[in-house]
Amino acid sequence: MENKKLKKPRGKARLLEGKCISCGARCQSSCPVDAIVMTDAGEPVVSNKKCIGCVKCVKVCPATALEMFFTPEEQKILDELAAQKAAAEPEEELDEEEKKLQALLKKYRGVWVFVEQTEGEAARVSWELMGVGAELAKSLSVDLCGVIIGSDIKKFAVDAFEYGADKVYLLDQPVFEYYRTEPFLDAVCYLIDKYKPEICLMGASGWGRDLAGAVATRVKTGLTADCTGLAVDVRRNLMQTRPAFGGNIMATIMCDKFRPQMSTVRPHVMPLPPRTSGRRGEVVRETFDIAEESIFKKVLDIIWDKKVKDAIDITGAEFIVSGGRGLMGRENFSMLQELADELGGVVAGSRGAVDLGWLPYERQVGQTGKTVRPKVYVACGISGAIQHLVGMQDSEVIIAINRDKDAPIFQVATYGIVGDLFQVVPALTKRIRELKNKN
Ligand SMILES: Cc1cc2nc3c(=O)[nH]c(=O)nc-3n(C[C@H](O)[C@H](O)[C@H](O)COP(=O)(O)OP(=O)(O)OC[C@H]3O[C@@H](n4cnc5c(N)ncnc54)[C@H](O)[C@@H]3O)c2cc1C
């Protein structure tokens, strides 16, 4: 039977809410038909009438904030065309190697999230990964699975289900009480070999970075570290987006010939999914044959580095007052501390300020520092370089204070104050104090 001749719809570009980083109208410049106008906040508005579906704006967007969308009728045509193409592609057209590869990839199914835990506490990033993992699993129509390895760790299975896992692989043995590379590596590779997941996600913590690299090397697959965006394409490939070339571009990386596809994601990059109390799933209990005597490294005790333990964790703060080179000196950060104290928040800063020794590294926000999502982020004397923006642009409210009205920070700011921070910050602190006293 002859196939119906269908014309491939081109679709229209549209903006994904909350993802635009106001990079400076790259999408607008790329549009050949002037279909994009920019709002005062620096976000594109695409005219459906003018858009010709050329996809140029989608390709240049550094934050993958634009996508193509199709009407249900257009989507139907696309599905039909895909079906026609699949039917028309004779098996013989695939060469032997490609056939072998496809057969191999087909054996891998499921999305895995590794639940990191130390001394009875799970790392929050593991639950954050459950959120994005659930989206990937839904797109692929597979289960989202938690992998929990440790000793006396059953309670984490309940948490994993309530954060979205459908299934949990549990390796609960005294030998796994403390994280050590070798036994965890052996155990994870054993599980991967047995159950063949197509995607493995780990937190980009000390634990996760160590384990992910070792596992990827052992199972001979690719690993993308510090991803900021994860999605799947129609061929079940994981599209792993992360900053590249010094943060000047966002690269989307694929691992299309090997499985599982592995990514690490830093804490606070993905939002924490809502917890559904009482949600349950399937527990798969596994045992791994490994004797303590065969493990070279022994953990005698965990002694927390007091400096690290006592350090303020800016990633958990609801209010952050952040300073940059505009502060002009270390001594001026006490002014930011006063404002932070009034707000019940913490002081952080740009790399510019950290490199000058005005703040310790653990307070640095950005691509090579921490990613934060506070309720309020006050940026004082920070220009808003892309490497800084990627670390704070998901804050609920951003207040920027800068004397340069063209500073890029204003493009992501909810409220912008053009002025001298040495006047604005004390005035803000004073006003907040007055309001608090009044109440
Ligand atoms: C690979 C790589 C990774 C990086 N990682 C990070 C990172 O993790 N985090 C990060 O922050 N940066 C990072 N950077 C550096 C980044 O590119 C910028 O250089 C840095 O963010 C600039 O810091 P700043 O905004 O404090 O300083 P500047 O860019 O010098 O900005 C200072 C701002 O203060 C304003 N100002 C001056 N005086 C006043 C005043 N009295 N009142 C009000 N405003 C005033 C100025 O108008 C200016 O906008 C990275 C760079 C590279 C190449």
Side-chain angles (χ1 to χ4, degrees), residues 23 29 42 57 66 73 93-94 132 142 186 211 228 250 265 288 297 305 314 316 328-329 335 341 393 407 413:
C23 67
S29 327
C57 57
L66 286 157
E73 294 74 43
E93 269 185 24
L94 293 177
V132 65
V142 293
D186 291 346
L211 185 60
T228 54
M250 298 299 281
V265 177
F288 182 63
K297 282 183 209 144
D305 180 343
I314 60 168
M328 307 302 285
M335 182 174 66
D341 289 345
Q393 69 200 4

Side-chain angles (χ1 to χ4, degrees), residues 246 324-326 328 349-353 364-369 381-385 387-388 401-404 407 419-422:
R325 275 203 284 243
M328 307 302 285
S350 69
R351 177 161 160 180
Q364 183 182 315
V365 173
Q367 187 193 324
T368 42
I382 294 176
S383 57
Q387 296 92 349
H388 187 79
I401 305 165
N402 199 304
R403 65 180 178 195
D404 173 8
D420 183 351
L421 70 91
F422 293 98

